[in-house]
Amino acid sequence: MSSTTLVLIVALTSLGAYLAATRFAGLRRADLRGAVMETLECLGLVVVFFLANFAVGTALILGLRALTGRFISVYIVNDATLAVLSLLQALVFHRWRARSK
Amino acid sequence: MDVHPITHAPVPDRRPVRGLRLLGLAGLLLFAVAAFTPLANRLNIWMAGLATLELADAIVVLGRGGADTDGVLTNRSLRRTLYGIGLYGDGLAPVLVLSGSAEETHARASLAQGLGVPSGAILRVASTNTTKGEAAELRRLLLPLGHRRILLVADPIDMPRARAVMERAGFTVLPAPTAATGPSDPESRLGLLRDIVSELAGWMYYRLAGAL
């Protein structure tokens, strides 16, 4: 039930945003496809940054464990914050790349 | 007529962009499947296996997540402890073994005593941080007492690795996974899938390190 409700809410606001954008903000319908493609690019970057953070974090923790003999939990990298930070990294990188073109 | 050579600007390689888009699409699909379908729940049930709730020499409650700074057990640690206490209450074993960090075992023991488990029936495993470490400590503590047949209390997703490590340490393991159906809301399902991926990574690490 909660899944359906969430999807319905997002569908409604997306439809509202589409109508407002095309009727009042002067955005072109033809550009929507390109925007979706760029969003997918950005999401791809999120995945790349997330995997990199996960791999580097795990290697770092295991390396520190081996070097220092102290226990550091690998569950540190199993934190939702890492996904949010990866999103932030990807957004900055994506915008940086767009401005450099 | 002058002929000018035509100069071409270098054509940008579009392959990385296409790859990123595909990766983004894959990530989006994975997100949708993880959040809005029962995939995580199915995996949870599958990893739990069948519970074998029979008479044993000891009930072993493995550590998970420890206690917060205020000494309160984390959700998972609390679930495991309550389940172990319930099994003790059902008379399935004469001993309740509580494992985990020092804070965790202290909080767990206080809770167990508060819920009627006699202090003489509670054994605490010295502070350890890994499943492998717990197995070594449990072996040192329980096998000399003749407690070989154990009811192992762990989360469903942790059961395959925990069971294999305990069996390798010389125990006969009766799995007693905590509730196996898992959550029903999208956010918790995402969290569960993240934990499953993390646990699978741990399982692979144990395999590579020769601990399984």
Side-chain angles (χ1 to χ4, degrees):
Chain A
M1 181 62 193
S2 61
S3 303
T4 317
T5 311
L6 286 174
V7 171
L8 188 68
I9 291 167
V10 172
L12 281 174
T13 54
S14 297
L15 181 67
Y18 177 79
L19 292 175
T22 50
R23 293 191 182 176
F24 307 116
L27 301 189
R28 290 190 301 268
R29 288 188 178 91
D31 290 339
L32 182 59
R33 188 175 180 278
V36 171
M37 289 299 155
E38 277 192 33
T39 306
L40 286 178
E41 263 175 62
C42 191
L43 285 175
L45 281 172
V46 175
V47 175
V48 170
F49 273 110
F50 180 74
L51 292 176
N53 284 327
F54 192 83
V56 169
T58 306
L60 199 66
I61 288 168
L62 293 178
L64 281 172
R65 267 198 208 175
L67 283 175
T68 64
R70 281 189 59 199
F71 177 78
I72 305 166
S73 175
V74 284
Y75 286 117
I76 288 174
V77 293
N78 183 28
D79 195 297
T81 317
L82 198 68
V84 177
L85 292 173
S86 301
L87 172 69
L88 198 63
Q89 285 176 297
L91 281 173
V92 171
F93 190 83
H94 189 254
R95 293 316 307 153
W96 184 22
R97 199 162 147 260
R99 291 175 75 92
S100 300
K101 277 180 182 171
Chain B
M1 189 174 74
D2 292 337
V3 177
H4 298 286
I6 300 169
T7 54
H8 292 285
V11 179
D13 188 357
R14 300 290 297 167
R15 277 177 300 182
V17 172
R18 208 173 301 141
L20 275 179
R21 285 177 183 172
L22 284 173
L23 199 59
L25 185 63
L28 195 62
L29 287 175
L30 181 66
F31 165 79
V33 168
F36 299 113
T37 74
L39 171 72
N41 306 69
R42 296 273 160 81
L43 287 172
N44 198 44
I45 292 168
W46 177 67
M47 290 174 84
L50 285 176
T52 311
L53 305 182
E54 296 172 4
L55 288 175
D57 299 323
I59 297 159
V60 173
V61 184
L62 293 179
R64 184 63 147 98
D68 288 326
T69 47
D70 55 4
V72 176
L73 291 171
T74 59
N75 184 338
R76 285 196 163 156
S77 185
L78 184 64
R79 279 171 181 254
R80 288 184 183 192
T81 310
L82 290 175
Y83 193 52
I85 293 168
L87 293 174
Y88 178 84
D90 292 340
L92 289 175
V95 177
L96 179 64
V97 186
L98 303 172
S99 179
S101 66
E103 299 81 19
E104 186 174 18
T105 50
H106 177 74
R108 283 177 153 184
S110 300
L111 179 65
Q113 286 174 48
L115 290 174
V117 181
S119 59
I122 298 172
L123 291 178
R124 289 196 224 174
V125 170
S127 177
T128 53
N129 297 305
T130 63
T131 310
K132 192 178 160 190
E134 285 182 297
E137 288 295 330
L138 286 164
R139 179 186 168 87
R140 202 173 55 79
L141 178 75
L142 295 181
L143 291 188
L145 299 173
H147 296 332
R148 183 176 292 275
R149 187 177 157 89
I150 58 170
L151 265 168
L152 185 67
V153 179
D155 284 36
I157 63 168
D158 298 328
M159 192 53 82
R161 183 165 61 102
R163 182 181 181 170
V165 170
M166 294 302 155
E167 284 177 344
R168 196 181 162 109
F171 292 104
T172 302
V173 175
L174 307 174
T178 52
T181 49
S184 57
D185 62 290
E187 185 185 341
S188 303
R189 279 203 210 108
L190 278 176
L192 178 60
L193 194 73
R194 194 187 66 216
D195 289 344
I196 288 172
V197 171
S198 175
E199 178 55 29
L200 289 176
W203 187 83
M204 275 171 54
Y205 174 69
Y206 268 49
R207 288 284 290 191
L208 290 172
L212 288 180

